[in-house]
Structures are given as structure tokens and as C-alpha cells.
Amino acid sequence: MPQPNESSTTFPSTSVDWTRKLISYDTTSRDSNLDLIAYIKDYLSGQGIESTLTFDKTGKKANLFATIPSATGETTGGIVLSGHTDVVPVDGQHWTSDPFKPELRDGNLYGRGACDMKGFIGVTLQLVPRMLQTRLAHPVHLAYSYDEEIGCVGAPSMIQDLIDRGVNPSGCVVGEPTSMRAIVAHKGINVYRCRVHGHAAHSSLTPKGLNAIEYAARIICTIRDIADGIKANGPYDDAFDVPYTTVQTSMIRGGIALNTVPDLCEFEFEYRNLPGSSPETILQQVRDYIDSTIMPSMTRENAAAKIDIEKLARSPGLDAAEDAAITQLVRALTRDTEIRKVAYGTEAGLFQAAGVPSIICGPGNIEQAHRPDEYVSLEQLDQCEKFLIALINSQAA
């Protein structure tokens, strides 16, 4: 289990110190986040706040949800402050400093996750005492999820738990890096793995085999054709930085030796659909091509041929209503009226799909995320702190 690079005996007192502490936990998505979750849980427990954990099926990762109740003890309704605890890998990247030993340089805090998005989580934790001291008319909830970076995998179980317990939040702010500007929409994420099963043979006897790589290549080319068709014909939404649904193949594996006809090839593909457009349409186009063209050709060569498509992750797009109370509140607090939409995905779409109006606003610039020498500026952390203090005050009785 990953260990922090700093002592866990005391809790930080400022947003910068909290962010430094969180960065010191290596919570790369392929690893566990339980040490970080335990640390946060212990801190909240010391503040008299109970946490609810929802685990993945391995028990090695967990979401944390906690509620600061209203002055009258109410724990339903209220606003959720949501962020993800996982970070992307640093493999192959050249960092000036250790990515999990945060450094302050030139007014910036460097480290993996500083921007995406431990800065936001750090600010929310630093403000817990203020939340407790404020006579809240409505509760404030903290939601910290796992595996957002690989398709918002963790958040669904946490949100389902909220539904089952009748928490019924009235709004959600997801603190992804937006330079503290309001983001009202993002695309949906859909990730699939396709496995093409052929038949192995010595390469000198290719007619006796069934080449899985070659048939997988045909499917991949069709996926590219689908992407090109959408780019050329739409639909479009010019408020997005990439104004149409995108489709791509990202990973491929197959073959065991040069002189062997490969009996298996698997690849992953993803598409990011505009909110309001059906994500099923693209998958159905891929399936239709396989059923009408690829499978008949394959089975003529070998009756045992098979193709499987497995869903790895799916998260719906976000399209916040301008008249929603949470949208109006964030716009008022940030004094930002511009309509901004982004191609990346967040758990905001999942909260919205569960009936919780949501919006995105957090410290840092998304262009710094996932890169070597990732950082968040101290100015952005300060802006986030002022924003959340104003949000807390807006919930006062």
C-alpha cells in the first residue's frame, strides 16, 4: 500500500499545507488510495464528523462521503463539494523534483495531483472547522472518490449510496481545475475493450489460421471512419473547445511471435459524446459493422471465430441548467457569466444523472494537469479558499 512521504502524526492548518500533505500520498489510479482515505477519515473523526466509505470490489480502494450537518442537525439536502483522490501515473515523465514530495517554487506548488485535484480537496479540508463554526441552514457534504482518472469508476457506488440513504443534495460543485471559472457542461466518457478471437497457426501455413490482428485492424479503421464522419457532419456545439463528439482507438495488443498467426488481438477505444447525444449510437455502429461484415468473413475462415466487446467505463456528460440554484450561486460568487464547456469528463455528469444539479469550479489550470512538473499556483488556492468561504457563508442560517 502506498505510504506518504511526510509524517501522519499531525494535521495541516492551511490550504497549502493540506495540499502538500495530500500530494505526499501516491494515489496513482493503479494503486490503492486507502492510506489517504484513512488519513482524511481520522481528521474528520477528530472534528466530530463521521465518514461513510464505499469500497471497490477488491477492497483496496474507497470513496469517502462526510456531512457537516446544519445547525438543527439536518443531514439531507445541502451542497456537495466533490473531488477525486486518484492521480495519473508519472511513468516516463521528467520532473524537476520528486512528484510525490511537493515543492514550493516561484509562487507555485509542484507535485502530482497539485492541480488535478488535490488542491481543491485540500482547501475543503482546511475549511472544515469554519463549516462547523458556521450556523448552517443546510448541510455541506464532502465527497472524495477513487478512479476518476480511468473513467469515473468510483463515484457511481458513492452516489448510489447517497440515493439509498436519502441524502438528496440540492446541488454539487466539482472542483476540477477551471482557473476558478464556472464550467457548465462537459462531454460524456465511454470506454470499451474489443477482443478479436482468431485461430493460431504456423505462419508458413497462414490459410490454416485466422489472423486476429488483421480483422481487429479492419474494425479499428472503421472506428476512425466513424470519427471522421462525425467531425465532418456533426452534430456540433461551438461552446466546446472541441465542438463535436470524438472517437479514437487508444491501445492495442496481439500476437506472440513473428512466425505465428495471432489467435487473439484486443484493443481499447473510447468516445466522448456531446451531452444530449446518445452514446449508444456510436457503439451500435461498431457492432453493426462487426455483425454485417467482419463476423461473416471470419466465420467463413473458421467457425469458432468470436468477437467480444466489454464496457470498461461510462460516465454521462454534464449540461447544467442556467436557472439551477447551484449554477446561479456559483456564477454569483465567481462573478462569471460566460458559458464555458469542456471536452474532459468529471463526476458532475453522474451527480446530475442522479438528480443533483451540478457545476464545475476549482483551482488550477487544466493545461497543467497530467504533465511533468504539474503545479497549482498559491494565488489559485487563495481564490478557491475565498470562493468556498463565500459559499459556506451563503448557506448560513
Side-chain angles (χ1 to χ4, degrees), residues 196 210-218 220 252-255 262 264-265:
V196 180
L210 177 60
N211 194 309
I213 289 179
E214 292 175 354
Y215 278 103
R218 296 183 187 183
I220 291 169
I252 184 168
R253 295 168 293 278
L264 176 65
C265 182

Side-chain angles (χ1 to χ4, degrees), residues 40 43-44 49-52 63-68 79-83 120-121 123-129 131 139-145 158 162 165 173 351 388 392:
I40 295 175
Y43 166 70
L44 294 175
I49 301 169
E50 294 185 4
S51 301
T52 298
N63 305 303
L64 182 150
F65 188 86
T67 297
I68 294 85
I79 292 176
V80 177
L81 304 177
S82 181
F120 178 79
I121 295 176
V123 177
T124 63
L125 290 169
Q126 191 266 334
L127 291 176
V128 166
M131 298 177 198
V140 176
H141 310 280
L142 305 176
Y144 307 136
S145 61
M158 177 174 62
L162 303 187
R165 292 191 288 120
V173 177
F351 275 102
L388 288 179
I392 294 165

Side-chain angles (χ1 to χ4, degrees), residues 346-359:
T346 77
E347 67 270 26
L350 290 163
F351 275 102
Q352 184 183 65
V356 182
S358 302
I359 193 168

Side-chain angles (χ1 to χ4, degrees), residues 7 12 38 44 46 77 124 127 133 147 151 162 192 194 212 217 230 243 257 263 295 316 350 352 397:
S7 170
L44 294 175
T124 63
L127 291 176
Q133 293 161 10
D147 282 1
L162 303 187
Y192 292 90
C194 179
I230 296 171
D263 65 346
M295 282 305 300
L350 290 163
Q352 184 183 65

Side-chain angles (χ1 to χ4, degrees), residues 313-337:
R314 172 179 286 183
S315 183
L318 168 72
D319 194 5
E322 283 296 327
D323 60 355
I326 192 66
T327 306
Q328 294 183 357
L329 174 61
V330 170
R331 289 208 179 282
L333 296 180
T334 59
R335 299 180 181 178
D336 179 14
T337 59

